[in-house]
Amino acid sequence: MSQATKNDGPSHEKDGIVEDSIRYVWRHGVSAAATRAAQGPIAVSGSGVHVTDSDGNVYLDGLSGGSAAATIGHGRKDVADAVHAQMTTLHWVSLRTFLNEPSVELGRRIAGLTDADLQTSFFVSSGSEAVESATQLAKSYHRARGNPDKNRFLYRKTGYHGTSLIGASASDNAEFRTWFAPLAPGFIELEACNPYRRPEGMTEEEYGLAAADAIEATILAEGPETIAGILAESIPAALVLVPPAGYLRRLREICDRYDILWIDDEVFIGFGRTGRWFGFEHYDVRPDIVTASKGITGGYVPLGAAIATSRVMDTVFGDGSSTQAKVSGHTYAAHPTACAAGLAVLDAIESEDLLASTARIGEWMVNEFRRIYADHPHVGDVRGKGFLIGVELVQDRATREAFPKSLGIGRKVMERAMSDLFMLRATGDVVTLFPALVTTQEDAQQMVAATCRAIDGVLGEL
Ligand SMILES: Cc1ncc(COP(=O)(O)O)c(C=O)c1O
C-alpha cells in the first residue's frame, strides 16, 4: 500500500470505544479538554509507514507512530516472530535471580555498534527511566571518585528528557514546572544551541563555540565541584537543532576540564534516526553515558537503556568491592522479551542497510524542502539529519521574526495534515518530520508533498 486513502464512512465511534476511552483510559500528553473531547481516530492496524483507523482511513506516517518509536515500520513479522519465540521459551525472569541470554547478547551488540567504548547497558523500560538511571550512575561515578558533592546536573532550554521527576526537572517544559512542583533540586538550566537564532553577524561555527563557552561560564559560576553531569542530546529533536561542528567538541573539552559527565540523551534519535546509530557519531565526539529507548526496539515492546563507557563503569565498580555502585533496580530490568525484540530490530537495520538509506533519503528530503521553499517569505529555515527534519515557519524570513503565538500556525499545519491523513508534528512553528527508517524514496516524495500541502494551505489563509 503506498497511498494514504480516505474513507468517508462512519464516524470514529465504534462499539463505544471513544466513549469508553474517555472514561477508562487516561491519555498521556494531551490536555484534559482533548481527552474529554476525544473523537478518535482509533488506530486498528499498521503496515510499513501506514496506519489504518477504525473507519478504514489509511494515514501516511511521517512520525514513526507519533512519537518516533516505530523506526522499522509497523506490523513486522520478523520482530513478532522473535518476540513470540522468546515469550514461549522464557518470557521473563528477574535479573536479581538469573542472568538471561537476550540481554547479554543485546548488550554485546550495542557495545559493538560504535567505536565509542559504550560498553555496558543498564536496561530499563522507557526513556524517562534511562535518563533517571543515567543521573544515578553519574552520581555513583563521582561518589566512587570521592566527590559526593558533585551531584547537580545541567540541562538546556528547549530540551526534553522525560516525565519522571528527574526527567521533568531536566526538561524545559513550563507545564511540568508548575504541575509537578516542587521539582527535584540540583538542576541548572542553560541556553540551547540554536544556530538559526544566532546573533546577527556571527557565523554558525563562531556561534557554536560561543554557546559552549557560555556553558563553561555557568559551570564556573555554579561551582564545578558541585556538577555531576550535563544532560544534552547530541541533536535536540524537538526543534531539530542540528549543532555546528565545533559545539559538541568544545562541550566535550569543557566536561573533561571539570570532570563532568556528558549524558547524551539519544532516546529520540538513537538507533538510526539520523543515519548513524547515534547522533554523536556525526561530530567526532564521545559521550560518557548514552540514554536510549524508542528505536532500540522499534516500539514493538518497551525497552530503554543507559549505556556507559568502560571508564565510567570501571570507576563505579572498581575491583568489585565498591559500595558505591548504586543505581535503581526495576522488576522489568533487562526484560528478555524486550531484549529479543531489540536484537530483531538491530538485525533488520543491519540486513536492510537502513542507516545508509536513512542518511540518503533524509538528505534528499531536506534538499527538496530547501528547493521548494527557497524564496518563500514565511519559511525561515529547513534543517535536519537523516530522518529528523524541521521546517521553521516565521512571520518574516528576512528578520527571522516569529509568528505571534496566538496564530497557532504550527498547530494548524499539524491539524491540516492530519485531516489530509498525514502525520506530522509541529513544536511551536517548527514543522517536524521523523519518519521510519524504512521510508522509501517514493514514500518520502509523498511525505514532502503532503507536508507542503499542509504548510501552503495554512500560510495561504494568512
Ligand atoms: C530526548 C528524550 N528523552 C527522554 C524521553 C522520555 O522517554 P519516555 O517517553 O519513553 O519516558 C523522550 C521522549 O520523547 C525524549 O525524546
Coordinates of all heavy atoms in Angstrom, one line a residue, residues 326-371:
K326 N 25.6 2.1 43.1 CA 24.1 2.1 43.4 C 23.4 2.8 42.3 O 23.5 3.9 42.0 CB 23.9 2.9 44.7 CG 24.4 2.2 46.0 CD 23.4 1.1 46.5 CE 23.9 0.5 47.8 NZ 25.0 -0.5 47.6
V327 N 22.5 2.0 41.6 CA 21.6 2.5 40.7 C 20.3 1.8 40.9 O 20.3 0.6 41.4 CB 22.1 2.2 39.2 CG1 21.1 2.9 38.2 CG2 23.5 2.8 39.0
S328 N 19.2 2.4 40.6 CA 17.9 1.8 40.9 C 17.8 0.4 40.2 O 18.5 0.1 39.3 CB 16.8 2.7 40.5 OG 16.8 2.8 39.1
G329 N 16.9 -0.4 40.7 CA 16.6 -1.7 40.1 C 15.1 -1.8 39.8 O 14.3 -1.4 40.6
H330 N 14.8 -2.3 38.6 CA 13.4 -2.5 38.2 C 13.0 -3.9 38.0 O 13.8 -4.7 37.6 CB 13.1 -1.7 36.9 CG 13.4 -0.2 37.0 ND1 12.5 0.7 37.5 CD2 14.5 0.5 36.8 CE1 13.0 1.9 37.5 NE2 14.2 1.8 37.1
T331 N 11.8 -4.2 38.3 CA 11.3 -5.6 38.1 C 11.6 -6.0 36.6 O 12.0 -7.2 36.4 CB 9.8 -5.6 38.3 OG1 9.5 -5.2 39.6 CG2 9.2 -7.0 38.1
Y332 N 11.3 -5.1 35.7 CA 11.5 -5.5 34.3 C 12.9 -5.2 33.7 O 13.0 -5.0 32.5 CB 10.4 -4.8 33.4 CG 9.0 -5.3 33.8 CD1 7.9 -4.5 33.9 CD2 8.8 -6.7 34.0 CE1 6.7 -4.9 34.3 CE2 7.5 -7.2 34.4 CZ 6.5 -6.3 34.5 OH 5.2 -6.8 34.9
A333 N 13.8 -5.0 34.6 CA 15.2 -4.8 34.1 C 15.7 -5.8 33.2 O 15.5 -7.0 33.4 CB 16.2 -4.7 35.3
A334 N 16.2 -5.4 32.0 CA 16.8 -6.3 31.0 C 15.8 -7.4 30.7 O 16.1 -8.6 30.6 CB 18.1 -6.9 31.5
H335 N 14.5 -7.0 30.5 CA 13.4 -8.0 30.2 C 13.8 -8.8 28.9 O 14.1 -8.3 27.9 CB 12.2 -7.2 29.9 CG 10.9 -8.0 29.9 ND1 10.7 -9.0 29.1 CD2 9.8 -7.9 30.7 CE1 9.5 -9.5 29.3 NE2 9.0 -8.8 30.4
P336 N 13.8 -10.1 29.1 CA 14.3 -11.0 28.0 C 13.5 -10.8 26.7 O 14.1 -10.7 25.6 CB 14.1 -12.4 28.5 CG 14.1 -12.3 30.0 CD 13.5 -10.9 30.3
T337 N 12.2 -10.6 26.8 CA 11.4 -10.5 25.6 C 11.7 -9.2 24.9 O 11.8 -9.1 23.7 CB 9.9 -10.6 25.9 OG1 9.7 -11.9 26.5 CG2 9.0 -10.4 24.7
A338 N 11.8 -8.1 25.7 CA 12.1 -6.8 25.1 C 13.5 -6.8 24.5 O 13.7 -6.3 23.4 CB 12.1 -5.7 26.2
C339 N 14.4 -7.5 25.1 CA 15.8 -7.6 24.5 C 15.8 -8.4 23.2 O 16.5 -8.1 22.3 CB 16.8 -8.1 25.5 SG 17.1 -7.0 26.9
A340 N 14.9 -9.4 23.2 CA 14.8 -10.2 21.9 C 14.3 -9.4 20.8 O 14.7 -9.4 19.7 CB 13.9 -11.4 22.2
A341 N 13.3 -8.5 21.2 CA 12.8 -7.5 20.1 C 13.9 -6.6 19.7 O 14.1 -6.4 18.5 CB 11.6 -6.7 20.7
G342 N 14.7 -6.2 20.6 CA 15.9 -5.3 20.3 C 16.8 -6.0 19.3 O 17.3 -5.3 18.4
L343 N 17.1 -7.2 19.6 CA 18.0 -8.0 18.7 C 17.4 -8.1 17.3 O 18.1 -7.9 16.3 CB 18.3 -9.4 19.2 CG 19.2 -9.4 20.5 CD1 19.1 -10.7 21.2 CD2 20.6 -9.0 20.1
A344 N 16.1 -8.3 17.2 CA 15.5 -8.4 15.9 C 15.5 -7.1 15.1 O 15.7 -7.0 13.9 CB 14.0 -8.9 16.0
V345 N 15.4 -6.0 15.9 CA 15.4 -4.7 15.3 C 16.8 -4.4 14.8 O 17.0 -3.9 13.6 CB 14.9 -3.6 16.3 CG1 15.2 -2.2 15.7 CG2 13.4 -3.8 16.5
L346 N 17.8 -4.7 15.5 CA 19.2 -4.5 15.1 C 19.5 -5.3 13.8 O 20.1 -4.8 12.8 CB 20.2 -4.9 16.1 CG 20.4 -4.0 17.4 CD1 21.5 -4.5 18.2 CD2 20.6 -2.6 17.0
D347 N 19.0 -6.6 13.8 CA 19.1 -7.4 12.6 C 18.5 -6.7 11.4 O 19.1 -6.7 10.3 CB 18.4 -8.8 12.8 CG 19.2 -9.7 13.7 OD1 20.4 -9.4 14.0 OD2 18.6 -10.7 14.2
A348 N 17.3 -6.2 11.6 CA 16.6 -5.5 10.4 C 17.4 -4.3 9.9 O 17.6 -4.1 8.7 CB 15.2 -5.2 10.9
I349 N 17.8 -3.5 10.9 CA 18.5 -2.3 10.5 C 19.8 -2.6 9.7 O 20.1 -2.0 8.7 CB 18.9 -1.4 11.7 CG1 17.6 -0.9 12.3 CG2 19.8 -0.2 11.3 CD1 17.8 -0.1 13.6
E350 N 20.5 -3.7 10.2 CA 21.7 -4.1 9.5 C 21.5 -4.7 8.2 O 22.0 -4.4 7.2 CB 22.6 -5.0 10.4 CG 23.2 -4.2 11.5 CD 24.0 -5.0 12.6 OE1 23.8 -6.2 12.6 OE2 24.6 -4.4 13.4
S351 N 20.6 -5.7 8.2 CA 20.4 -6.5 7.0 C 19.7 -5.7 5.8 O 19.9 -6.0 4.7 CB 19.6 -7.8 7.2 OG 18.3 -7.4 7.6
E352 N 18.9 -4.7 6.2 CA 18.3 -3.9 5.2 C 19.0 -2.6 4.9 O 18.6 -1.7 4.2 CB 16.8 -3.6 5.6 CG 16.0 -4.8 5.7 CD 14.7 -4.7 6.4 OE1 14.1 -3.6 6.4 OE2 14.3 -5.7 7.1
D353 N 20.2 -2.5 5.5 CA 21.1 -1.3 5.3 C 20.3 0.0 5.5 O 20.4 1.0 4.7 CB 21.6 -1.4 3.8 CG 22.9 -0.6 3.7 OD1 23.5 -0.2 4.7 OD2 23.4 -0.4 2.6
L354 N 19.6 0.1 6.6 CA 18.7 1.2 6.8 C 19.4 2.5 7.2 O 18.9 3.6 7.0 CB 17.6 0.8 7.9 CG 16.6 -0.3 7.4 CD1 15.6 -0.5 8.6 CD2 15.9 0.1 6.1
L355 N 20.6 2.4 7.8 CA 21.3 3.6 8.1 C 21.6 4.4 6.8 O 21.5 5.6 6.8 CB 22.6 3.3 8.9 CG 22.4 2.6 10.3 CD1 23.8 2.5 11.0 CD2 21.5 3.4 11.2
A356 N 22.1 3.6 5.9 CA 22.5 4.3 4.6 C 21.3 4.9 3.9 O 21.3 6.1 3.5 CB 23.2 3.3 3.7
S357 N 20.2 4.2 3.9 CA 19.0 4.8 3.2 C 18.4 5.9 4.0 O 18.0 6.9 3.4 CB 17.9 3.7 2.9 OG 17.5 3.1 4.1
T358 N 18.5 5.8 5.3 CA 18.0 7.0 6.1 C 18.8 8.2 5.8 O 18.3 9.3 5.6 CB 18.1 6.6 7.6 OG1 17.2 5.5 7.8 CG2 17.8 7.8 8.5
A359 N 20.2 8.1 5.8 CA 21.0 9.2 5.5 C 20.7 9.8 4.1 O 20.6 11.0 3.9 CB 22.5 8.8 5.6
R360 N 20.6 8.9 3.1 CA 20.4 9.3 1.7 C 19.1 10.0 1.5 O 19.0 11.1 1.0 CB 20.6 8.1 0.8 CG 20.7 8.5 -0.6 CD 20.8 7.2 -1.5 NE 19.6 6.4 -1.5 CZ 19.6 5.2 -0.9 NH1 20.7 4.7 -0.3 NH2 18.5 4.4 -0.9
I361 N 18.0 9.3 1.9 CA 16.7 9.8 1.6 C 16.4 11.0 2.5 O 15.7 12.0 2.1 CB 15.6 8.7 1.8 CG1 16.0 7.5 0.8 CG2 14.2 9.2 1.5 CD1 15.1 6.3 1.0
G362 N 16.9 11.0 3.7 CA 16.7 12.1 4.6 C 17.3 13.4 4.0 O 16.7 14.5 4.0
E363 N 18.5 13.2 3.5 CA 19.2 14.4 2.9 C 18.4 14.9 1.7 O 18.2 16.1 1.5 CB 20.6 14.0 2.5 CG 21.4 15.2 2.1 CD 22.9 14.8 1.7 OE1 23.2 13.6 1.9 OE2 23.6 15.7 1.2
W364 N 17.9 13.9 0.9 CA 17.1 14.3 -0.2 C 15.9 15.1 0.2 O 15.5 16.2 -0.4 CB 16.6 13.1 -1.0 CG 15.7 13.5 -2.1 CD1 16.1 13.9 -3.4 CD2 14.2 13.5 -2.1 NE1 14.9 14.2 -4.1 CE2 13.8 14.0 -3.3 CE3 13.3 13.3 -1.1 CZ2 12.5 14.2 -3.6 CZ3 12.0 13.5 -1.4 CH2 11.5 13.9 -2.7
M365 N 15.2 14.7 1.3 CA 14.0 15.4 1.8 C 14.4 16.9 2.2 O 13.7 17.8 1.9 CB 13.4 14.7 3.0 CG 12.7 13.4 2.5 SD 12.0 12.5 4.0 CE 10.4 13.3 4.2
V366 N 15.5 17.0 2.9 CA 15.9 18.3 3.4 C 16.2 19.2 2.2 O 15.7 20.4 2.1 CB 17.1 18.3 4.3 CG1 17.7 19.6 4.5 CG2 16.8 17.6 5.6
N367 N 16.9 18.7 1.2 CA 17.2 19.5 0.0 C 16.0 19.8 -0.8 O 15.9 20.9 -1.4 CB 18.2 18.7 -0.9 CG 19.6 18.7 -0.3 OD1 19.9 19.6 0.5 ND2 20.4 17.7 -0.6
E368 N 15.0 18.9 -0.8 CA 13.8 19.1 -1.6 C 13.0 20.3 -0.9 O 12.5 21.2 -1.6 CB 13.0 17.8 -1.6 CG 11.8 17.8 -2.5 CD 12.1 18.0 -4.0 OE1 13.3 18.2 -4.4 OE2 11.2 18.0 -4.8
F369 N 12.9 20.2 0.4 CA 12.2 21.3 1.1 C 12.9 22.7 0.9 O 12.3 23.7 0.7 CB 12.1 21.1 2.6 CG 11.0 20.1 3.0 CD1 11.3 19.0 3.8 CD2 9.7 20.3 2.7 CE1 10.3 18.1 4.2 CE2 8.7 19.5 3.1 CZ 9.0 18.3 3.8
R370 N 14.3 22.6 0.9 CA 15.0 23.8 0.6 C 14.8 24.4 -0.8 O 14.6 25.6 -1.0 CB 16.5 23.6 0.8 CG 16.9 23.4 2.3 CD 18.4 23.4 2.5 NE 18.7 23.4 4.0 CZ 19.6 22.7 4.5 NH1 20.5 22.0 3.8 NH2 19.8 22.7 5.8
R371 N 14.7 23.4 -1.7 CA 14.5 23.9 -3.1 C 13.0 24.5 -3.2 O 12.9 25.6 -3.7 CB 14.6 22.6 -4.0 CG 14.5 22.9 -5.5 CD 14.4 21.7 -6.3 NE 13.2 20.8 -6.1 CZ 12.0 21.1 -6.6 NH1 11.8 22.2 -7.3 NH2 11.0 20.3 -6.3

